Amino acid sequence: MLSDKLTKALSDQVIAEYYSAYLYLAMAAVVDRMGLKGTANWLYVQAQEEMAHGTHMFEYILNRGATPAFAAIDQPPADYPDINEVFKKVLSHEEMVTKRINALATIAMEEFDHACYQFMMWYVDEQVEEESNAKEILDKLKLIGDNTGLLLTLDNEFASRVFVNPFPPQV
Ligand code: FEO
């Protein structure tokens, strides 16, 4: 069974993952209004991934015999002047999530909960990818600058992103 400390930390992370989903949905709405439908799709898929993370953690708490604790999800910001600011926020947000995930893995280690530590390692790897994706997009946006044609090409690229459940049901 999970310790109370790990149950609390994992429950807080479930809420943080759902907040991330909320944050990305708010961003999707903003870029949709800017006419960047493909980017809105990218952010919507990102939100779906965050919900999958939250649900995965919620199920893990239950599977370990503990009860997840619930709290309010904060209101996300929804005011960005341009797409650059949106993705700067994506990167800073994911950097913050990485710190939270590392702190959670550290608690699991301190409590000698090897199973939970192993569970967290998936998220440690995932955060490397999340930060790298956000950095790559910011680099592309820097190269694009004020070139609307190139921005629309990138937006088109974003339109093809599809949600793939990282935790498909086991049969
Ligand atoms: Fe749940 Fe963006 O990491």
Side-chain angles (χ1 to χ4, degrees):
M1 175 145 168
L2 276 180
S3 70
D4 286 349
K5 192 172 177 183
L6 270 174
T7 303
K8 167 85 173 75
L10 273 168
S11 295
D12 286 349
Q13 191 56 33
V14 170
I15 295 159
E17 298 291 342
Y18 276 91
Y19 172 77
S20 297
Y22 225 32
L23 176 73
Y24 293 138
L25 273 182
M27 288 176 174
V30 169
V31 298
D32 187 280
R33 289 286 81 86
M34 289 174 186
L36 298 167
K37 300 270 183 200
T39 310
N41 171 67
W42 193 97
L43 288 160
Y44 179 57
V45 171
Q46 191 72 11
Q48 287 176 292
E49 279 195 1
E50 301 300 356
M51 285 187 272
H53 296 164
T55 306
H56 183 232
M57 287 178 184
F58 165 81
E59 286 172 348
Y60 182 75
I61 298 168
L62 285 176
N63 287 342
R64 291 289 308 275
T67 305
F70 285 85
I73 299 172
D74 290 341
Q75 182 177 0
D79 188 16
Y80 303 91
D82 55 42
I83 185 175
N84 267 292
E85 291 305 313
V86 169
F87 279 96
K88 274 187 204 166
K89 178 67 181 172
V90 172
L91 178 58
S92 68
H93 179 72
E94 290 299 338
E95 286 170 343
M96 186 274 290
V97 173
T98 299
K99 285 190 185 133
R100 294 185 61 103
I101 295 292
N102 286 339
L104 240 166
T106 302
I107 298 172
M109 201 192 298
E110 285 167 354
E111 303 217 341
F112 302 108
D113 191 328
H114 298 181
C116 186
Y117 181 76
Q118 184 148 316
F119 176 81
M120 290 312 302
M121 286 306 102
W122 187 90
Y123 287 95
V124 169
D125 288 342
E126 171 71 4
Q127 284 311 119
V128 173
E129 199 185 314
E130 293 276 54
E131 287 190 26
S132 160
N133 289 342
K135 277 188 196 124
E136 199 179 301
I137 292 167
L138 274 173
D139 285 346
K140 280 185 184 169
L141 287 171
K142 204 180 283 175
L143 288 170
I144 286 169
D146 291 333
N147 189 321
T148 310
L150 289 178
L151 179 59
L152 290 175
T153 302
L154 182 67
D155 188 60
N156 236 358
E157 209 179 280
F158 284 155
S160 62
R161 185 181 188 193
V162 288
F163 172 63
V164 178
N165 188 350
F167 316 111
Q170 306 290 317
V171 277

